[in-house]
Amino acid sequence: MVRTDAGAVRGAVTRAPAPDGAERTVAVFHGVPYMAPPTGPLRFASPRPHPPWRGIRPADTMRPAFAQPSGPALATAPVRSASTAEDAVHANVWTPDVHGRRPVFVYVHGGGWQFGTASSPTFDGARLAARGDLVIVTFNYRLGPLGFGLHEALTDPVTGLHANWGLQDQAALVEWVRSSIAAFGGDPDNITLCGTSAGGAAVWQLALLPGLRGAIRRIVPISTAHVRTPAFALTPADARTASEAVAARLGVDVPGLRTVDAARLLAVWGEYFAAVPDGHPVASGRCYRGPVVDGALVPAPDTHRPVPDLPTLSVVTATEGSFHTAGGRPHPVDDAELRALVRAHLLIEGPEVPRGLVDGVIAHYRALAAADGRPVDPLSLLTEIQGDNTFRHRIVRMAERGARETRAPQFLLYFDYAVHPPGFGTPHEATSPFLFGTHGIAEHREAFGDGPWERKVSATLMDLVSAFAHDDVPRAAGVPPWPRFTPDTPSTLLLGGHEPRVGDLPKAAELSFWDTARHGGAL
């Protein structure tokens, strides 16, 4: 039992493997409130402190996911809970001991800002807490139109903010950790922030918030979905238009969106954006709806902002795009179908695809793959093109900026564990099961396996990240000395497909196409 500012909570005890092979006791607390439920008049409001409670609140059962759309999840979404609720904003804490002062590792789940939950078995923090001697925190935050949007009619009378409520929740969680984690045996002055995909974007944005300056010691952004328009985020004007259109369909004004049923609001919002990108009623938010540039919390898209001047361990997977091309999605079987699917993908960047761009990118990737002896079939080319444009190009370029523009140590990890069929390559989100040591649970065993190699890869990744969370230096048994990342020198750690080694970033030449396309105004 521990006592937070709002009241006492009683958790449970589990056991997980320690580095010496023995099992270690870990205390786990599920569903600990870090803010008041954002329901009723607090929907679209800034986070408020949770009202205090009397007695001891049970915290021994995993809680629901935050309300999110029904139906197929986005490709970046982790496993989703079948149970959702609008008041499901809470934290989960795993600690080796409620006494002491251990580094704190806060993980922000991804899911395209619309899906996902800290309650996923993927993010069970017991193994990472035990192996790394860390206090692990995961949490839910507001998603979809309940978490990310903008409209002045929803201005909070206390904070004056009128956008990005999910990002506000994430900031509130960091503040809660700073004020409450000592009760769980954590060091409030040693907080590492980690996240994957949309969670990786959150890590960057939180690290740049003036109000959190000094609260975050270091960051681990993984497969980061850097916020940009028109692909991921609505422009302010389009966010206003979308809110007004959805309100009109629901028969209310914009403030009246606080009163309608959450499931109905999500359904109508989904219908508004249901068309393919070139049929969207607004020009932005063509892929996922993420944080909106609001002039306060998000003053500009990620690539137009400074990089966080914090120790940073960035992670990119070998084939980020295979999450999008595996499974039941359309597969190109010839060049005509490849061109059609590449064009459809490029439409997330804007309403038109410049002439010659599709053939140009295909030719670029085909020539480099052939020169390296890699597959040049249409599916492999589409996978590389989608993954690089959506994720890898910006991840690598932002890591290079961090190495050039900050004094803080920067590290780049290239994760290349090959998943089992019917998946292929090393897809977006392939890191999470290894980071948390959950690759062997029932829902992941087919894709990731649970043999000696998988356990070694997982232990190495956990040890690297844990060491970094302790003292800014990622190290692990069997890993050669890992220098700070320096562009154009062999300083990237390659992990997953072979014994760990430091070398050049693989497939770096492919990224030059996107430099030319973006600087030339084609994208």
Side-chain angles (χ1 to χ4, degrees):
M1 188 273 288
V2 302
R3 188 171 299 279
T4 71
D5 289 344
V9 293
R10 185 181 301 280
V13 173
T14 187
R15 300 185 68 81
D20 60 4
E23 287 199 328
R24 183 176 188 178
T25 298
V26 175
V28 54
F29 302 83
H30 292 303
V32 181
Y34 69 90
M35 58 179 278
T39 56
L42 292 184
R43 182 188 284 177
F44 304 119
S46 296
R48 301 289 195 268
H50 196 283
W53 59 84
R54 301 179 63 181
I56 301 175
R57 184 184 181 105
D60 56 357
T61 304
M62 195 63 84
R63 303 300 171 86
F66 184 79
Q68 51 198 270
S70 59
L74 293 171
T76 53
V79 175
R80 293 188 291 137
S81 169
S83 174
T84 68
E86 193 178 356
D87 63 355
V89 286
H90 49 252
N92 307 308
V93 182
W94 290 262
T95 178
D97 194 335
V98 296
H99 304 289
R101 198 174 172 88
R102 291 171 175 79
V104 183
F105 188 84
V106 177
Y107 184 80
V108 189
H109 75 76
W113 300 279
Q114 296 193 77
F115 297 102
T117 175
S119 300
S120 168
T122 300
F123 309 131
D124 185 322
R127 298 167 185 83
L128 186 55
R131 186 171 185 91
D133 196 34
L134 303 170
V135 176
I136 308 298
V137 180
T138 66
F139 65 104
N140 284 354
Y141 53 92
R142 281 177 279 185
L143 299 169
L146 297 168
F148 296 95
L150 174 149
H151 203 287
E152 288 77 3
L154 300 173
T155 299
D156 188 287
V158 176
T159 65
L161 299 174
H162 57 272
N164 298 321
W165 307 280
L167 182 59
Q168 293 185 55
D169 296 350
Q170 295 163 0
L173 180 282
V174 175
E175 294 285 11
W176 178 85
V177 167
R178 188 155 57 166
S179 65
S180 300
I181 206 65
F184 296 88
D187 181 355
D189 296 321
N190 191 3
I191 298 172
T192 299
L193 212 56
C194 175
T196 305
S197 191
V203 163
W204 279 74
Q205 290 149 5
L206 294 168
L208 292 172
L209 284 180
L212 294 181
R213 188 167 292 128
I216 301 165
R217 179 74 67 87
R218 62 190 68 79
I219 59 175
V220 184
I222 303 174
S223 293
T224 302
H226 282 294
V227 170
R228 67 189 194 274
T229 57
F232 285 169
L234 292 167
T235 64
D238 282 348
R240 295 184 192 99
T241 297
S243 294
E244 291 163 6
V246 169
R249 290 191 188 189
L250 290 166
V252 296
D253 58 9
V254 172
L257 290 172
R258 292 191 174 99
T259 67
V260 300
D261 176 71
R264 180 63 179 146
L265 192 160
L266 291 172
V268 172
W269 182 269
E271 292 168 2
Y272 186 75
F273 287 98
V276 295
D278 56 350
H280 280 179
V282 294
S284 59
R286 302 171 69 78
C287 192
Y288 311 129
R289 265 68 70 192
V292 182
V293 172
D294 60 0
L297 300 171
V298 185
D302 289 358
T303 53
H304 297 133
R305 301 182 68 189
V307 293
D309 192 9
L310 293 172
T312 301
L313 197 169
S314 298
V315 182
V316 63
T317 72
T319 51
E320 296 276 356
S322 60
F323 210 122
H324 302 277
T325 55
R329 298 173 180 85
H331 287 177
V333 298
D334 56 29
D335 280 358
E337 292 184 1
L338 174 60
R339 283 193 295 272
L341 288 172
V342 169
R343 181 184 180 279
H345 167 71
L346 293 174
L347 281 170
I348 70 171
E349 303 287 352
E352 297 180 357
V353 177
R355 185 174 182 176
L357 188 64
V358 171
D359 288 337
V361 67
I362 292 173
H364 179 82
Y365 274 76
R366 177 171 278 137
L368 289 170
D372 288 347
R374 291 183 281 109
V376 294
D377 61 280
L379 178 59
S380 295
L381 294 177
L382 177 66
T383 297
E384 297 287 359
I385 291 168
Q386 287 194 354
D388 285 3
N389 181 40
T390 307
F391 300 108
R392 199 169 72 98
H393 176 257
R394 289 175 177 82
I395 292 168
V396 172
R397 294 297 182 252
M398 295 292 266
E400 291 169 347
R401 281 187 55 199
R404 290 192 300 265
E405 298 175 12
T406 74
R407 292 175 295 178
Q410 307 286 313
F411 299 91
L412 181 62
L413 190 153
Y414 181 87
F415 190 71
D416 60 355
Y417 174 87
V419 300
H420 301 172
F424 62 91
T426 311
H428 192 67
E429 277 286 356
T431 48
S432 300
F434 292 97
L435 175 61
F436 286 91
T438 54
H439 54 89
I441 65 176
E443 62 198 62
H444 290 321
R445 196 174 301 125
E446 179 182 2
F448 299 102
D450 190 26
W453 180 251
E454 286 77 16
R455 291 192 288 272
K456 181 177 180 178
V457 170
S458 179
T460 302
L461 182 58
M462 284 195 281
D463 289 350
L464 288 168
V465 170
S466 298
F468 184 66
H470 277 269
D471 59 16
D472 300 344
V473 181
R475 57 189 177 276
V479 175
W482 185 5
R484 294 185 181 191
F485 177 60
T486 305
D488 303 320
T489 66
S491 53
T492 300
L493 181 69
L494 286 72
L495 173 67
H498 38 68
E499 293 297 331
R501 64 184 178 87
V502 174
D504 293 317
L505 176 74
K507 299 182 293 185
E510 278 81 345
L511 304 181
S512 64
F513 178 87
W514 307 107
D515 294 329
T516 302
R518 293 192 171 106
H519 293 159
L523 292 175

